[in-house]
Structure formats: structure tokens, C-alpha cells
Amino acid sequence: MAAILRPRQNWVFDLDNTLYPAECDLFSQIDRRMTGFVAERLSIEREAARVLQKQYYLNHGTTLKGMMIDHDMPPEEFLAHVHDIDYSGLPRDMRLKAAIGALPGRKLVFTNGSRRHAENVIQQMGLEDAFDGMFGIEDALYEPKPAQVAFDRFVGAFDLVPSQSVFFEDLTRNLEPAHHMGFSTVLVRSAKDWSHEPEGARPASADDHVPAHVHHVTDLLSEFLEQVMSE
């Protein structure tokens, strides 16, 4: 089934919990640092900060966007703080590198994280030469997925034709606008709920209903990409 995607010319990958397995617990470091930042910035207890953090994520796509709107917070300080983490737990994934390299056309990263964070992840995983470009939250002018404007800016930056493109994501809500634009969509699931997010913003698990805007599902990205190129 995955092989039907082979003629596509653009392969777009979310970063966190998509390129690397959620079991690495990398995002849990970011999650904790976001809570700490909100608590310190607003002079509130961590428990209250975490509730606010998750509400911003649900309502605005990122905690960052909520803090910018409600508290006029400069985004650079937030991003520098929350991405000051230990990347050493990420695996070097040569199987994934080979699978991405075998794909025809352009390979791109589209993340709600910063470009610096994406660079750190990609370097730690040994994927430095795997991609032709990356688009961070700075490039979207801090408008996060699933906002349509974020997708429009991404598509414009790389002059993509959505109907010739595939989008890989771990969050079903971020696949919906991609589907409506004409992308083929692939949900990358995990057995681990890394997020502790409010209902409506959680990553999908194997037990969840797969919505119609998700065209393909995989629990192992490298294997799925190998199937795309298989006979």
C-alpha cells in the first residue's frame, strides 16, 4: 500500500516524535522546561503553570503562541530555554537515513520547534545529509501547525505542490490541514503517550480511531519508507 506514494516529489517530515521514537523521552525534557519557564515568567506555582501551558497548547497549537498573545513574550527567549536539553538519548538511525535517502525528490523538515532544535536532533541522529531543507517556527513567523497560515508559509517557502507531496506527523490534528490542501498524509504512531496533553491535542495510539484525513498509518517510520520504495 505504501508503494503507491512513490511517484510523489516532496517528502515532508515533522520532527519531534516523528523522526525519532517517542520512547526516547526527548520531548518530556522540553515539556518540563516549558512548565518551568511559564512558572518563572508569570511568577506562579508549577502546577498552575502546567495547566496554563497545556491550555495554550490546546488553544493555540503551541505554548509559545499563547504566551506571545497573552503576555507579549519575545519568542527567542522561550525557544532558547525550552530547547536547552540533553540530546544524547537520541539513537543514531542509519536505517532511517538510508530509507529517507532512497526517496525520490526533496526531503524537508516542518516543525513547530526552532531550527536550532531541529539541527540538534538531526545531527544527533546522524541525519545531517538526509534533508534538503527545514522550516522552523521562526520561518512560520511563530504561527504553529495546525494553523493554515503556517502551512501556507511552508508551502510558499519551498514552492511545493501539495498534491505531489507527502506529510508525516504524529499528531492527527496537524494532518487535517495538510489533507485539505492535497497532501498525502501519514500518521506516525507510538505506544507511548509522551504528551500528557488535553483531550483533542494528544498523539494517536494504536487504540485510537483513525480519522478520514489520515491516509496511511505506521508504527515504524523507517519500515514504512522502505515499503514505499519496495517492488
Side-chain angles (χ1 to χ4, degrees):
M1 185 67 175
I4 66 171
L5 298 175
R6 195 184 312 164
R8 301 300 190 275
Q9 298 178 14
N10 305 290
W11 307 83
V12 181
F13 298 86
D14 173 51
L15 184 79
D16 290 310
N17 304 301
T18 298
L19 282 182
Y20 62 83
E23 287 76 9
C24 294
D25 262 352
L26 187 75
F27 199 83
S28 65
Q29 295 185 59
I30 299 171
D31 193 43
R32 291 192 298 269
R33 290 188 68 80
M34 282 193 284
T35 303
F37 184 95
V38 173
E40 183 175 348
R41 182 85 180 186
L42 303 182
S43 299
I44 58 178
E45 296 295 325
R46 285 187 67 93
E47 184 177 345
R50 188 160 182 80
V51 171
L52 186 62
Q53 168 194 346
K54 298 305 179 182
Q55 198 59 50
Y56 282 154
Y57 179 81
L58 179 63
N59 293 342
H60 299 291
T62 59
T63 303
L64 168 64
K65 185 64 176 178
M67 290 289 289
M68 290 175 65
I69 291 173
D70 285 358
H71 304 284
D72 198 27
M73 182 199 68
E76 297 83 1
E77 181 182 352
F78 178 91
L79 291 170
H81 180 87
V82 303
H83 292 144
D84 184 13
I85 58 173
D86 178 10
Y87 292 89
S88 63
L90 289 175
R92 292 186 69 80
D93 198 335
M94 296 302 98
R95 181 183 181 186
L96 179 60
K97 181 176 183 177
I100 293 173
L103 297 171
R106 291 184 295 174
K107 280 78 74 170
L108 306 167
V109 172
F110 179 17
T111 176
N112 279 349
S114 67
R115 263 183 279 116
R116 179 64 181 272
H117 173 57
E119 290 166 358
N120 288 337
V121 168
I122 288 168
Q123 181 176 16
Q124 181 65 30
M125 295 184 70
L127 303 177
E128 298 96 321
D129 303 321
F131 298 101
D132 301 295
M134 65 178 63
F135 190 88
I137 194 70
E138 312 97 316
D139 303 299
L141 303 182
Y142 303 102
E143 293 288 350
K145 299 175 287 184
Q148 184 62 54
V149 65
F151 283 86
D152 292 342
R153 287 170 179 164
F154 170 71
V155 167
F158 292 101
D159 196 25
L160 294 186
V161 177
S163 62
Q164 298 174 356
S165 307
V166 185
F167 185 42
F168 298 84
E169 253 279 0
D170 65 305
L171 296 175
T172 57
R173 71 172 184 170
N174 290 347
L175 289 172
E176 188 166 9
H179 158 75
H180 289 305
M181 294 175 76
F183 283 83
S184 295
T185 62
V186 183
L187 176 65
V188 182
R189 294 187 304 198
S190 172
K192 180 180 179 61
D193 179 11
W194 50 265
S195 67
H196 310 292
E197 302 297 356
E199 194 67 35
R202 294 175 183 163
S205 71
D207 298 328
D208 291 341
H209 168 71
V210 177
H213 63 262
V214 174
H215 307 150
H216 305 273
V217 177
T218 182
D219 299 314
L220 183 59
L221 180 59
S222 55
E223 182 179 271
F224 182 88
L225 297 180
E226 290 166 352
Q227 291 171 355
V228 168
M229 299 306 296
S230 66
E231 296 295 329

